[in-house]
Amino acid sequence: MQRRVGWWIVLVCVVVLWANLAGAQETFQGVVFEDANGNGTFDVGEKGIPGVCVSNGIEVVQTDATGRYTLPVRNEMVVFVIKPAEYTLPVNEKNIPQFFYVHRPNGSPDFIQEYKGFAPTGNLPVSVDFQLLPGQKTESFKMIAIGDTQVTDHREIGYLRDSLVKELQGVDASFALMLGDNVNDVLGLYDRYLTVMGEMGIPTFYVLGNHDMNYDSQNDAYSTETFTKKVMPPYYAFNVGKVHFVVLDSIIWDGKAYYGGISEEQLTFLKNDLAMVPAENLVVIAMHIPLISYMDRAAEKHQVKNREDLFKILEGRKVLFLAGHTHTLERLYPDTTIDGWSPNLPFPQIIAGAGCGSWWSGPKDEYGIPFSYQRDAAPKGYMIFEFQGNEWKETYKIYGRAIDDQLNISFFIADRVERRLKDPALPEGIFLKGDLLGVHVVANVFCDAVEVTCSIDNKETQAMTRRSLPDPMMNWYANDLPDWMRPVGSTHTFSAPLPSTLEAGFHTVTVTVKDRYGRIYQEKRLFEVW
C-alpha cells in the first residue's frame, strides 16, 4: 500500500512539472510603428500604432496602446504584420511589400539543394519590429488580379515584359495580386522575374503556386523555402478599405506529388485572424489551386480536398474566393449550373485565367508574342477589380484589346464538333445554303454574362444558351498544339442555331451581352451563304 501511494506522488509531480513548463512557454516581442521618416527604424519621436494585428503563423494578437505585441516563439516561423486599412506597407526595389520576418535559426534543411533556401538566421532579435507608412483609409479602390504567368525561361520573361507588364505600367490600381505559378519550376528565374514585374509600378502581392515549390523537399513543411526567401510568406493577410485579404497556400506536397489542400496551421491561423475582422467586411481568399473548377472537376488533385473545413470557418461571412491554376476563366457561384453540373459552393469563386494563356504557346502576333489562348479558349489577360465598401465589380481585360472587347463570335456545325473542327473553311464564315441546318452561332464571352442574345440581320432576337463548347475559331488556331493544350470546353460559351431559311448572300449576326453589373457589350460578324 505504501509503495502504491509513492507512485501517485511521483505522477502528480510529473503532471505539475509539465504544466509549469507549458505555462512558461517562450515568447518574443516587438513594436509596430509609424515610420514618419521612412528609414525603416523605430526612431525617437516616432509612435507605436495600437490595435494592429501581428501573427507568428498561427496565433494572432493586437498591439497595445504603445504599439507593442507579444507572441509565442515557434521553432521555425514567419512573423508578419497584418496591415490595417489606414496604413500602407513599405516596398523594396521590386515593388514587393515588406511586412514579415523569417525565423529559421538553423537554416533550411540539407535536402533543399537545387534552389537554395535560408542560411541560419540564429536567435530572434530582441525586438521584431514592423514599420507602417502613413496612408489614407478609403472604401473605393482598384486591384489587378493575374493568374499563372508561368515563365519557363528568359525568352518567356520577355513575352511577359512586352505584354502584361508593358500594358500595366502606370495602371490606376492600388496593388496587384499574382495568383501563383509565377514561374514554371525554374526558381532561378525569380530574380529577373520579380525585377520585371516590379516595372508595373504598383505594390505586388504574390500567391504560391505548385510550380513555385522546391521539388527536392521531402515534405510539405519545406516546399516553400525558395519562394519565402525570394518573394514572401506562403500565407498572410492584409486590409484595404472594408476588404480583408487572406492569401493561403492551397498546395500540399508529400515529397513526391502535390494535391489541393489547406494545412491545419493555416486553418488555425485563419480562424484566429478572422476573430479580429469586423463581421461586415468582405473577406477575399486568394489561393492557387481552386476550391473546385469546371475544367478539372473530375481530377481530385486539382481541387482543395478539405474545402469544407474552410467553409465552416467562413460561415456567416461575406466571402469571395480568387484562384488560378487551371488556365481557364471561370466564375462559379452557389447557383451556377453548366450542362447539368454544379460546383456546390456556398461562396462565389473566380478563377482569373492565366497571364501566360496556354503556357505561351501557339501562333505569334506581329510583336512575336504567342496568342496563347487558354484551355477554355479565353484569350490571355488579367482581371480588374473595383471595390466599393464590401461590394465588388470585376472586368476581364485581354492584352492589347479595348476594355469593352468582351466576346468573340464564330460558328460550328453540330456534326463536325467531334472532328475537333480542323476544317479551315469553317472559321471563314462561308456556308452552303443546303448545309445551314445544324450551323450554330457561338459567342465566347469573357465578362460575367447573365444574358446573351443574338439577331440575324437585325431581325428577330433569340436567346443564346450557355453550353460547354470549344470555341471553333480558337480551336482552329490551336490545331498544331498537343491535345492537353487545346480548348476542350468552357463555362462562358453560348450558342444559338442559324435559321436554315437564310437566302444566299451576305448576312450579319449581332450578339448582345449583359453582364452581372448591368453593362452591355455588343459585337457583329459578317458571314456568307452560297
Side-chain angles (χ1 to χ4, degrees), residues 388-450:
Q388 179 64 50
N390 64 0
E391 301 292 333
W392 78 85
K393 178 170 65 176
E394 48 88 357
T395 307
Y396 188 68
K397 173 67 173 65
I398 301 165
Y399 298 160
R401 286 163 64 168
I403 197 166
D404 60 353
D405 192 346
Q406 290 290 328
L407 64 148
N408 290 340
I409 301 173
S410 55
F411 305 92
F412 83 87
I413 298 177
D415 64 3
R416 296 188 193 175
V417 172
E418 294 305 318
R419 286 194 275 151
R420 306 299 297 272
L421 302 173
K422 292 192 176 185
D423 180 355
L426 190 62
E428 292 178 359
I430 300 172
F431 309 103
L432 296 176
K433 185 170 173 54
D435 286 343
L436 283 175
L437 191 64
V439 176
H440 286 65
V441 180
V442 177
N444 190 2
V445 181
F446 314 121
C447 65
D448 192 354
V450 294

Side-chain angles (χ1 to χ4, degrees), residues 71-88:
L71 276 164
V73 174
R74 299 172 60 205
N75 289 335
E76 295 179 331
M77 60 183 176
V78 181
V79 187
F80 53 88
V81 64
I82 299 174
K83 184 191 81 68
E86 60 270 27
Y87 286 89
T88 61

Side-chain angles (χ1 to χ4, degrees), residues 166-220:
K166 178 183 176 182
E167 181 164 312
L168 287 174
Q169 277 190 315
V171 66
D172 175 24
S174 298
F175 62 96
L177 181 60
M178 307 300 295
L179 293 169
D181 278 2
N182 309 294
V183 299
N184 192 21
D185 299 336
V186 187
L187 307 189
L189 292 172
Y190 256 121
D191 287 334
R192 182 183 172 215
Y193 170 82
L194 294 170
T195 299
V196 168
M197 292 298 294
E199 288 300 305
M200 291 190 297
I202 53 176
T204 303
F205 294 90
Y206 291 84
V207 175
L208 176 86
N210 53 287
H211 289 285
D212 300 314
M213 299 191 303
N214 295 89
Y215 287 142
D216 54 3
S217 178
Q218 296 176 3
N219 52 45
D220 191 55

